[in-house]
Amino acid sequence: MAQAEKMEKKSSLMNVLEIDGVPLPVISKEIWARVCHFQARPDDLILATYPKSGTTWIHEILDMIHNVGDVEKCQRATSTDRHPFIELTFTHKEKLDLDWAIEMPSPRMLKTHLPSHLIPPSIWKQNCKIIYVARNPKDCLVSFYHFHRMTSMLPDPQSLEKFLEKFMAGNVVCGSWYDHVKGWWAAKDKHQILYLFYEDVKKNPKREIHKMLEFLGKTLSEEVIDKIVYHTSFDVMKQNPMANQTALPSHIFDHSISNFMRKGMPGDWKNHFTVAMNETFDKHYKKMMAGTTLTFCTEI
Ligand code: PPS
């Protein structure tokens, strides 16, 4: 696609809608009332994340758990066509993910990037199991920056310096990373939430899969668990067209600018942050995270 056409596409999609001070993609605008009234079922499993925190990865693990390690079944469709988002829909799709979710037979797995206070209330009422995945903010920020570069669904990030300011101010789609991770951290004391960390899954996927299994009340043989670890490793997923997001139209995800499966490595932020950026970020982080018991590991 010509550069001018690409930019036009970008600018037409970059408006965001604020709900309770949280910028959400414009695509959520028309359906927001319906999102709020979404009817959860008690056996729904919700995968909740701030963007770029490992959604696609943990989704793949959960789908493999559900399908008892059957690789073929997990390659039945692309990641985006296997389980719906509640509040989002990719722009090329004819049907809303929300409608797909409503029609889906149980047991459903549903994805969301919403902060905990914007979750459809029926999810709490039905006491659904929720798996939340958090990623350290520095790698999350760098990943989000590159994602803004490669997708037409988000505005041009201009530069990493500018994006860092926006990220710290929470002036990005899905709002403040700080509010997101802290909100869900507080919610876990009142609801059925398994709070996972991207870096822990990277460090010891097997141990974290065991945690997921226990939370879901499932058991799998060690052989199947090893198979899941292998097929959901970064290198294998990167080669899997049903998981690496290359099947999406190139006007939506332009992999020639940056791969969706980019680095997948805790500590990559060190290749991007300058010393000054790191100092600014650390100072702000300390202020924003004061008083919480939540801690993050920025390298492994
Ligand atoms: S999105 O667009 O919000 O749904 O993105 P999300 O899937 O949450 O996050 C994308 C980042 O997760 C990395 N990823 C992985 N890391 C390690 N192992 C595996 N298997 C894996 N799969 C995806 C992906 O590469 C993005 O991170 P970066 O740092 O950009 O590489």
Side-chain angles (χ1 to χ4, degrees), residues 49-58 85 90 113 135 139-140 142-144 146-147 198 202 231-235 237-238 243 245 253 258-266 268:
T49 52
Y50 188 79
K52 313 320 286 182
S53 299
T55 327
T56 316
W57 184 15
I58 306 305
F85 270 96
F90 281 92
H113 284 323
R135 186 181 194 183
D139 283 322
C140 186
V142 168
S143 179
F144 213 1
H146 287 294
F147 188 55
Y198 177 104
K202 189 81 192 181
H231 283 282
T232 59
S233 68
F234 183 82
D235 292 341
M237 265 182 71
K238 195 178 163 82
Q245 309 285 29
F253 280 4
S258 179
N259 284 318
F260 182 89
M261 300 283 298
R262 196 186 53 87
K263 282 277 176 68
M265 184 47 77
D268 178 50

Side-chain angles (χ1 to χ4, degrees), residues 44 53 55 58 60 64 73 77 118 121 147 152 177 211 213 233 271 275:
D44 286 342
S53 299
T55 327
I58 306 305
E60 199 64 30
M64 284 209 80
K73 276 193 187 158
L118 292 182
F147 188 55
S152 58
W177 173 90
K211 275 190 204 166
L213 287 169
S233 68
N271 298 317
V275 173

Side-chain angles (χ1 to χ4, degrees), residues 17-193:
L17 160 83
E18 283 210 0
I19 302 275
D20 270 3
V22 179
L24 293 179
V26 73
I27 207 129
S28 305
K29 186 175 181 176
E30 285 148 29
I31 59 164
W32 186 248
R34 295 184 61 213
V35 170
C36 296
H37 291 105
F38 175 74
Q39 290 307 304
R41 302 175 198 150
D43 58 357
D44 286 342
L45 171 64
I46 313 295
L47 173 60
T49 52
Y50 188 79
K52 313 320 286 182
S53 299
T55 327
T56 316
W57 184 15
I58 306 305
H59 168 256
E60 199 64 30
I61 292 178
L62 292 173
D63 198 30
M64 284 209 80
I65 289 177
H66 181 71
N67 288 294
V68 197
D70 188 325
V71 178
E72 258 177 50
K73 276 193 187 158
C74 293
Q75 295 191 350
R76 67 194 178 280
T78 64
S79 188
T80 46
D81 286 333
R82 270 181 272 158
H83 297 97
F85 270 96
I86 299 171
E87 77 283 6
L88 300 172
T89 303
F90 281 92
T91 43
H92 69 293
K93 286 192 181 179
E94 277 171 20
K95 187 177 190 151
L96 284 175
D97 270 25
L98 182 67
D99 287 326
W100 172 21
I102 291 167
E103 289 163 15
M104 221 177 165
S106 293
R108 301 184 293 191
M109 181 180 7
L110 308 168
K111 299 179 275 189
T112 182
H113 284 323
L114 289 172
S116 61
H117 72 282
L118 292 182
I119 279 292
S122 70
I123 290 179
W124 303 131
K125 271 192 217 118
Q126 297 287 4
N127 196 25
C128 301
K129 286 187 179 172
I130 302 173
I131 296 187
Y132 183 78
V133 191
R135 186 181 194 183
N136 85 74
K138 294 180 182 178
D139 283 322
C140 186
L141 183 160
V142 168
S143 179
F144 213 1
Y145 164 73
H146 287 294
F147 188 55
H148 276 69
R149 292 174 54 236
M150 65 86 82
T151 181
S152 58
M153 298 189 299
L154 293 170
D156 190 331
Q158 296 170 297
S159 66
L160 186 61
E161 285 79 0
K162 290 223 166 79
F163 189 73
L164 183 123
E165 278 170 29
K166 282 187 161 189
F167 184 94
M168 290 195 303
N171 191 14
V172 287
V173 158
C174 297
S176 160
W177 173 90
Y178 305 93
D179 292 347
H180 212 282
V181 295
K182 287 193 287 185
W184 280 102
W185 185 247
K188 80 171 182 1
D189 298 332
K190 298 187 222 124
H191 304 280
Q192 287 203 88
I193 299 173

